[in-house]
Amino acid sequence: MREEQVAKQLGRNLWRARRRADLSQEKLAALCSLHRTEIGLLENGRRFPRVDTLIKLAFALDVGAEELLRGIVWTLPAPQREGSLSVETPLRGVGGYARQ
């Protein structure tokens, strides 16, 4: 996945979780000490959250961070050596990070 695709998928996941929790953008922002426009930018895939923001969002929505990262597959760039492999790793496991 390219960075733009990752941001958009995270935004869709955030939007779904917020709607399921029956929270407005304003209410979620207040729970996370963020501005409402930040929630909108995240949901629209125009901004990546910092790790602490991702944790605040997950806590406020009563979901695991892995739910906000669901469906995201990060393609690691191939090392610049001959004979190297590129690996696609879904983000899963504890806290949404892949185990290798």
Side-chain angles (χ1 to χ4, degrees):
M1 275 185 154
R2 294 182 16 218
E3 288 182 22
E4 303 83 31
Q5 294 169 312
V6 170
K8 286 188 184 295
Q9 182 63 47
L10 188 136
R12 284 189 293 268
N13 294 343
L14 176 59
W15 180 84
R16 266 190 241 109
R18 180 179 64 78
R19 297 291 298 238
R20 196 171 34 250
D22 196 29
L23 294 174
S24 66
Q25 288 183 346
E26 292 83 3
K27 180 66 175 173
L28 178 58
L31 289 170
C32 297
S33 300
L34 299 171
H35 195 278
R36 186 211 56 80
T37 57
E38 180 73 13
I39 301 298
L41 290 170
L42 290 167
E43 286 185 357
N44 290 315
R46 297 181 63 208
R47 185 165 293 178
F48 286 107
R50 294 181 346 190
V51 172
D52 63 323
T53 301
L54 183 69
I55 293 167
K56 287 178 188 178
L57 290 165
F59 184 78
L61 293 166
D62 195 27
V63 299
E66 64 274 5
E67 183 167 332
L68 299 178
L69 298 172
R70 183 168 286 132
I72 295 174
V73 177
W74 195 270
T75 303
L76 302 173
Q80 300 301 314
R81 292 182 285 150
E82 194 173 314
S84 301
L85 299 175
S86 178
V87 178
E88 285 195 6
T89 306
L91 296 175
R92 65 181 185 284
V94 178
Y97 295 96
R99 294 183 190 161
Q100 300 271 5

